[in-house]
Amino acid sequence: MTTSGTASDVFDHLGIRPIINGHHWRTVLGGSIMPPEVVQAMTESSGYFINVDDLHMKAGEYLARITGAEAGMVTAGCAAAQVLQAAACMTGMDDTKIVQLPDTAGMRDEIIIQKGHRNHYDNCYRIAGAKLVEIDTTGDTNGDKLSAAITKNTAAVAFAWHARFYGIKMEEVIKIAHSSQVPVIVDAAAELPPLENLTKFTDMGADLVAFSGGKGIRGPQSTGILVGKKSLVDSAFRNAIRTSMDKTGIGRPMKVCKEEIVGLVKALELFLEKDHEGEWAEWRSMSEIITNMLKDIKGLNVYLNEGPVYPGPAAPTATIFFKDSWNGPSPSDISNLLMEGNPPIYAGTDPQPNALWIAPVALQRGEEIIIAERLRKIFTDTQ
Ligand SMILES: *Cc1c(COP(=O)(O)O)cnc(C)c1O
């Protein structure tokens, strides 16, 4: 069978149905939708040969400029940036060590992480060969456990910004780590927007900060941003792209192509120029349409949540709380009904077991009405 090359032909050919994403800029749902200018920049750049090392260097300088960091580089997603964070903190600029990874013999190879910051991406540090040392700082904001855990084997302290409400705060983590000359590496994958986060962690003194390029920035999904201290970014670069020896480093399989580098830079230019307040208002308006269309249903408490809802995005989110008096299907059953419909709709169900939420960040205008109508029908048909 052949396809003519348009996306819908390819999806038809493969038997794939596009969905409505009321969840988040989630990798498994396709990240985000790139603005047409980004797609166009990628398409045009594919018509040229360029020196990719030069493109990487110049793009890295751009990232440093806009984040206020000493240096930066484009990576193959935030997860790849995390592999490189760990590698850089273990090897420094020593090419013998770089080609030796993931065998860490002779290197500091422990990365300390607070228990509440553990998440499935922390395995990226282990991929580089590092060992995770977990400290339980439940209900404990003083830094004693961190100070006690730092040894001569500590390569870095990891901090996941989405878990900042838990345990020792970032300012304190940085102070303690730096007093032992240990770098702090930050996972800020889904933390843009808000725009201020672009410079925030670097300003706070974090040594290496990683963001996703394909979430709120709306660049290519397989791009990421690594910024920080020049010596460490230089080391990440050697681990990813070029050693002086005739072997590649651990980051080489996480390659970024020229089209993706160009696409990420274009997406960042647009992100910096964007009317962020206008976007927030647009999101709120879509979420309000959903809450208004559902708020009269008995047994439910339907409201707009403007706070951060991990694992959801920081955006005005339509939240449906199922009261004890609700006698219809459970939130997870309803989520399944939404996914089985046509088109399939993805909503958020955790972390509260008796709640369902719809985030507007990945919705395209009009889809909020389809979601609200579908939910209304499910709520009224199944009661
Ligand atoms: C999405 C995400 C990642 C991975 O980001 P990619 O850009 O998809 O590689 C890492 N950490 C957290 C907390 C995330 O949400």
Side-chain angles (χ1 to χ4, degrees):
M1 211 204 257
T2 56
T3 61
S4 74
T6 66
S8 53
D9 282 352
V10 174
F11 287 148
D12 279 352
H13 169 55
L14 298 175
I16 297 295
R17 270 193 306 173
I19 62 156
I20 292 179
N21 179 2
H23 200 190
H24 197 349
W25 296 297
R26 286 192 61 201
T27 301
V28 69
L29 301 182
S32 53
I33 290 185
M34 294 183 282
E37 296 93 326
V38 173
V39 179
Q40 195 188 342
M42 292 177 76
T43 306
E44 284 176 14
S45 65
S46 74
Y48 297 90
F49 290 105
I50 41 85
N51 181 316
V52 174
D53 281 9
D54 287 347
L55 180 61
H56 251 299
M57 297 302 287
K58 296 292 181 191
E61 285 167 15
Y62 172 70
L63 296 178
R65 266 203 310 283
I66 65 171
T67 59
E70 290 174 14
M73 72 178 283
V74 180
T75 64
C78 180
Q82 292 175 262
V83 176
L84 295 172
Q85 286 178 331
C89 293
M90 294 189 294
T91 64
M93 295 293 275
D94 184 335
D95 282 344
T96 310
K97 289 181 175 167
I98 288 171
V99 299
Q100 185 190 304
L101 286 185
D103 171 0
T104 61
M107 305 177 210
R108 296 168 171 237
D109 65 354
E110 291 179 359
I111 295 185
I112 300 173
I113 185 165
Q114 301 184 66
K115 187 172 180 189
H117 288 227
R118 297 299 306 268
N119 65 81
H120 55 271
Y121 293 105
D122 61 34
N123 207 39
C124 296
Y125 303 128
R126 293 189 53 256
I127 289 170
K131 293 167 192 65
L132 290 177
V133 174
E134 183 182 296
I135 52 172
D136 186 351
T137 51
T138 312
D140 187 0
T141 53
N142 80 49
D144 295 349
K145 284 193 178 134
L146 176 59
S147 303
I150 294 177
T151 71
K152 63 179 188 346
N153 289 326
T154 306
V157 180
F159 196 99
W161 184 250
H162 67 255
R164 62 192 174 280
F165 308 106
Y166 172 94
I168 312 167
K169 300 283 167 269
M170 181 132 118
E171 291 86 347
E172 189 67 10
V173 166
I174 291 173
K175 206 168 90 193
I176 293 169
H178 285 183
S179 70
S180 301
Q181 284 78 50
V182 168
V184 174
I185 57 180
V186 179
D187 171 2
E191 308 297 340
L192 294 170
L195 180 65
E196 72 209 37
N197 282 355
L198 208 49
T199 50
K200 179 181 189 128
F201 313 115
T202 297
D203 286 350
M204 287 171 81
D207 299 85
L208 282 175
V209 183
F211 299 100
S212 289
K215 291 179 176 169
I217 298 169
R218 297 177 63 193
Q221 202 199 350
S222 47
T223 58
I225 295 172
L226 179 62
V227 293
K229 299 277 153 60
K230 182 163 184 348
S231 58
L232 288 169
V233 173
D234 285 349
S235 164
F237 196 82
R238 289 177 98 87
N239 272 281
I241 292 157
R242 185 89 51 239
T243 71
S244 63
M245 298 162 77
D246 68 345
K247 293 268 186 278
T248 62
I250 197 131
R252 174 60 180 79
M254 297 165 256
K255 178 173 76 177
V256 195
C257 68
K258 65 180 186 295
E259 293 82 1
E260 292 171 319
I261 298 174
V262 168
L264 177 65
V265 171
K266 188 74 212 175
L268 276 165
E269 287 172 7
L270 297 172
F271 182 74
L272 291 174
E273 287 166 8
K274 183 186 281 181
D275 169 11
H276 288 270
E277 279 174 25
E279 181 175 66
W280 188 272
E282 177 74 2
W283 286 342
R284 183 190 290 113
S285 143
M286 286 195 278
S287 293
E288 273 171 357
I289 286 176
I290 298 175
T291 54
N292 285 337
M293 281 172 74
L294 301 174
K295 67 181 176 206
D296 62 325
I297 295 175
K298 287 203 178 54
L300 303 177
N301 180 14
V302 181
Y303 59 96
L304 197 70
N305 182 355
E306 304 233 14
V309 271
Y310 187 74
T317 297
T319 304
I320 302 160
F321 181 81
F322 295 72
K323 299 191 230 176
D324 289 344
S325 58
W326 170 252
N327 52 19
S330 71
S332 71
D333 289 343
I334 289 169
S335 160
N336 288 335
L337 287 169
L338 288 172
M339 287 191 280
E340 286 159 12
N342 185 20
I345 293 171
Y346 283 66
T349 49
D350 47 333
Q352 292 188 73
N354 41 6
L356 189 77
W357 49 265
I358 315 289
V361 298
L363 292 181
Q364 304 189 70
R365 258 295 176 188
E367 290 180 339
E368 75 284 8
I369 297 172
I370 300 175
I371 295 176
E373 284 174 348
R374 182 91 65 81
L375 275 172
R376 199 171 168 89
K377 185 158 169 37
I378 292 173
F379 290 146
T380 47
D381 285 359
T382 55
Q383 272 236 86

